[in-house]
Amino acid sequence: MLDVLERTAVEAGRAILSVKPSCAGTMIKSDQSPVTIADHMAEDIILNALLRAFPGVPVVAEEAMADGRVPQIEGHAFFLVDPLDGTKEYINQSADYTVNIALIENGIPVAGVVYAPARHTGYAAYKGRASKFMVAADDGVCDRGDIRCRAKGGSLTAVASRSHSNAQTEEFLRVNSITSCLSVGSSLKFCLLAEGIADVYPRYGRTMEWDTAAGDAVLRAAGGRTSLVDGAPLTYGKRRQASDCDFANPHFIAWGADR
């Protein structure tokens, strides 16, 4: 499975890189988020690859959902796909965007790939193992190494979004005496925790499950956890929510290792 997910993410990343942001035909969706030709190209590649490799496994993908194509996931393992997480970063020609593919079983992200095409860097989770890899000029995966969250020290380093900081995030940092904060876009925030560069990612803002599942899979496999603000675990496959739409996440805190 992991080989398929990695090859698919790299192929989708290659398609994204083939489109110049200035020529990407940016449009604004009904939720006021941007979408580009690159988003759609990458999603088509991923959906076709998953259908060929895993027929019968439902796929919840961001742009398909925006078009009203909602698969039945009840009682099934399913994939969550964000073909271009960090579209704003892509448009602004930052390298902080990713391709996200995750497998969900019983509400838990058990496998996933996060690939940052502009960095030629990827992260993977499978069978409880988290790894980081590079992608060579021929699109082959190379230089793979296992990664783990670092143990908590006397001071913590937080990682936060460049686009979504707010008063609640600032209060979390103050209450936890955190003065060191790294800023990065997309699901790379989870990956910085997973490889031991930072300790905590507080998210007091709206996200969707396809935004977080692949990065969360990598973090959990590296020894971290993602919890709601009340300490309950973040789960996936949330439908018929009274307070929000299907597949929307509540606020959460992603943590590296406890010790």
Side-chain angles (χ1 to χ4, degrees), residues 48-245:
N48 288 331
L50 294 180
L51 178 62
R52 289 193 304 269
F54 310 104
V57 179
V59 181
V60 178
E62 179 176 12
E63 307 314 330
M65 287 289 295
D67 291 339
R69 290 176 281 151
V70 185
Q72 294 298 316
I73 63 167
E74 285 74 9
H76 298 280
F78 67 97
F79 289 104
L80 277 166
V81 169
D82 190 339
L84 205 174
D85 181 32
T87 301
K88 290 180 182 178
E89 281 79 9
Y90 163 75
I91 293 168
N92 292 328
Q93 302 187 54
S94 162
D96 291 350
Y97 60 87
T98 58
V99 177
N100 298 344
I101 308 173
L103 177 67
I104 309 300
E105 293 181 351
N106 299 315
I108 305 299
V110 297
V113 171
V114 174
Y115 177 52
R119 297 172 179 260
H120 306 287
T121 302
Y123 301 84
Y126 188 59
K127 293 186 176 180
R129 174 191 177 190
S131 60
K132 180 179 181 180
F133 60 87
M134 303 301 293
V135 173
D138 64 356
D139 289 336
V141 170
C142 61
D143 297 332
R144 185 189 301 277
D146 289 349
I147 56 174
R148 295 291 295 176
C149 300
R150 69 187 184 190
K152 286 183 181 177
S155 61
L156 301 179
T157 296
V159 61
S161 171
R162 286 201 176 103
S163 307
H164 299 98
S165 184
N166 54 32
Q168 289 169 297
T169 303
E170 295 303 318
E171 177 65 8
F172 176 90
L173 299 179
R174 185 191 67 79
V175 168
N176 288 276
S177 302
I178 299 172
T179 58
S180 176
C181 188
L182 304 175
S183 182
V184 68
S186 73
S187 55
L188 289 170
K189 293 181 284 294
F190 287 98
C191 299
L192 292 186
L193 301 184
E195 61 177 318
I197 293 175
D199 303 289
V200 61
Y201 163 33
R203 182 57 186 246
Y204 290 92
R206 193 169 189 267
T207 58
M208 302 300 291
E209 293 185 8
W210 45 78
D211 297 319
T212 62
D216 193 2
V218 173
L219 175 62
R220 296 187 196 208
R225 59 186 170 88
T226 304
S227 305
L228 307 186
V229 294
D230 63 4
L234 178 65
T235 60
Y236 293 83
K238 298 181 290 294
R239 305 289 302 275
R240 294 175 287 278
Q241 302 188 89
S243 59
D244 210 332
C245 67

Side-chain angles (χ1 to χ4, degrees), residues 25-49:
T26 302
M27 297 170 285
I28 302 299
K29 297 187 289 188
S30 60
D31 65 358
Q32 300 306 302
S33 66
V35 63
T36 69
I37 292 169
D39 294 77
H40 287 289
M41 289 173 60
E43 184 162 298
D44 287 346
I45 288 168
I46 296 168
L47 292 179
N48 288 331

